[in-house]
């Protein structure tokens, strides 16, 4: 079983601060995805990273895929209350994308005004 | 703009009762999935269907059955509900290896 470990599990910071959350595995993934989930809703895709060392930016969010494709990070600059949510990383099961994704347990992020 | 629709959104069952969670997608996706989400456990795959007419077990299939009725619909059945099946259930669809599109979830409580 491919495991994705996310850290920290919980993070509460003030508006305007920067933060980084991590997604680590002992397995190599062909790609990793990051989702954000708000209360009462399903997860929504933020980004997919495919190439080792890849960096993608989505406004104030920066995603990086490790060179060995075993880990990823999400950095948020100048966090806003609207960034509050559960951030999940996910990668394909070893059988490929059609077999679904395996998810980390997530980072619960709270941005206080 | 429906995407993935799940019914019911909330359900309370007594131990031993049966029920079916319904899921339909209007994006013409080939693959559909059922996940459960529990505090501290994250999202875990119960069953998936890579195409119409096929289904396969995921990580936690025990106590569940599924039916891929057609390309649009994928149902999850609990034949004899147990308190351990209290959870939030999410249906999702995709055209692999792309994005998973999730429904809003079905919150099930088994007493």
């Amino acid at each position: 079983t491919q495991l994705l470990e996310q850290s920290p599990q919980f993070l509460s910071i003030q508006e305007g601060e920067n933060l980084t959350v991590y997604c680590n595995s002992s397995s190599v993934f062909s790609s990793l995805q990051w989702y954000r989930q708000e209360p009462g809703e399903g997860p929504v895709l933020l980004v997919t990273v495919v190439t080792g060392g890849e960096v993608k930016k989505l406004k104030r969010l920066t995603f990086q895929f490790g060179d060995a494709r075993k880990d990823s990070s999400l950095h948020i600059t100048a966090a806003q209350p609207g960034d509050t949510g559960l951030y999940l990383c996910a990668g394909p099961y070893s059988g490929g994308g059609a077999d679904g994704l395996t998810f980390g347990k997530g980072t619960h992020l709270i941005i206080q005004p | 703009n429906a995407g993935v629709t799940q019914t019911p959104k909330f359900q309370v069952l007594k131990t031993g009762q049966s029920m079916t969670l319904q899921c339909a997608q209007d994006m013409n996706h080939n693959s559909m999935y059922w996940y459960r989400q529990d505090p501290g456990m994250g999202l875990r795959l119960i069953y998936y269907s890579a195409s119409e007419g096929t289904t396969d077990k995921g990580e936690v299939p025990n106590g569940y059955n599924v039916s891929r009725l057609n390309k649009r619909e994928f149902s999850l059945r609990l034949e004899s509900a147990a308190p351990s099946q209290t959870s939030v259930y999410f249906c999702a669809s995709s055209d692999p290896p792309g994005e998973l599109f999730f429904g809003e979830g079905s919150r099930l409580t088994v007493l």
Side-chain angles (χ1 to χ4, degrees), chain B residues 17-92:
Chain B
Q17 288 185 321
S18 62
M19 77 157 299
T20 300
L21 298 176
Q22 307 286 353
C23 175
Q25 53 95 4
D26 62 3
M27 294 171 283
N28 203 36
H29 288 160
N30 286 309
S31 297
M32 296 186 73
Y33 313 88
W34 276 105
Y35 285 87
R36 61 177 290 175
Q37 187 173 36
D38 303 289
M41 299 297 294
L43 281 158
R44 293 180 292 169
L45 183 64
I46 305 171
Y47 270 93
Y48 65 96
S49 170
S51 62
E52 184 178 350
T54 68
T55 61
D56 284 285
K57 296 178 180 179
E59 185 183 354
V60 288
N62 291 346
Y64 305 96
N65 286 300
V66 289
S67 295
R68 184 73 183 268
L69 305 171
N70 48 56
K71 191 171 185 178
R72 289 187 66 247
E73 298 173 289
F74 189 37
S75 63
L76 179 71
R77 182 161 178 84
L78 286 70
E79 289 291 352
S80 179
S84 61
Q85 293 178 305
T86 293
S87 187
V88 182
Y89 291 86
F90 286 97
C91 177

Side-chain angles (χ1 to χ4, degrees), chain A residues 15-100:
Chain A
E15 180 177 1
E17 294 184 3
N18 301 331
L19 66 107
T20 302
V21 298
Y22 301 92
C23 174
N24 296 295
S25 176
S26 59
S27 303
V28 174
F29 283 88
S30 57
S31 64
L32 281 180
Q33 297 181 344
W34 285 90
Y35 288 78
R36 186 171 84 186
Q37 184 178 18
E38 299 189 23
E41 298 182 8
V44 176
L45 180 69
L46 294 173
V47 77
T48 301
V49 286
V50 178
T51 306
E54 181 177 5
V55 176
K56 280 192 173 179
K57 292 192 175 184
L58 187 66
K59 297 184 180 178
R60 293 176 293 98
L61 279 60
T62 301
F63 303 85
Q64 185 162 8
F65 200 13
D67 291 340
R69 291 186 287 127
K70 292 184 178 181
D71 56 86
S72 182
S73 64
L74 159 59
H75 181 79
I76 301 179
T77 303
Q80 303 294 314
D83 297 326
T84 293
L86 175 64
Y87 289 81
L88 297 159
C89 67
Y93 279 107
S94 56
D99 300 342

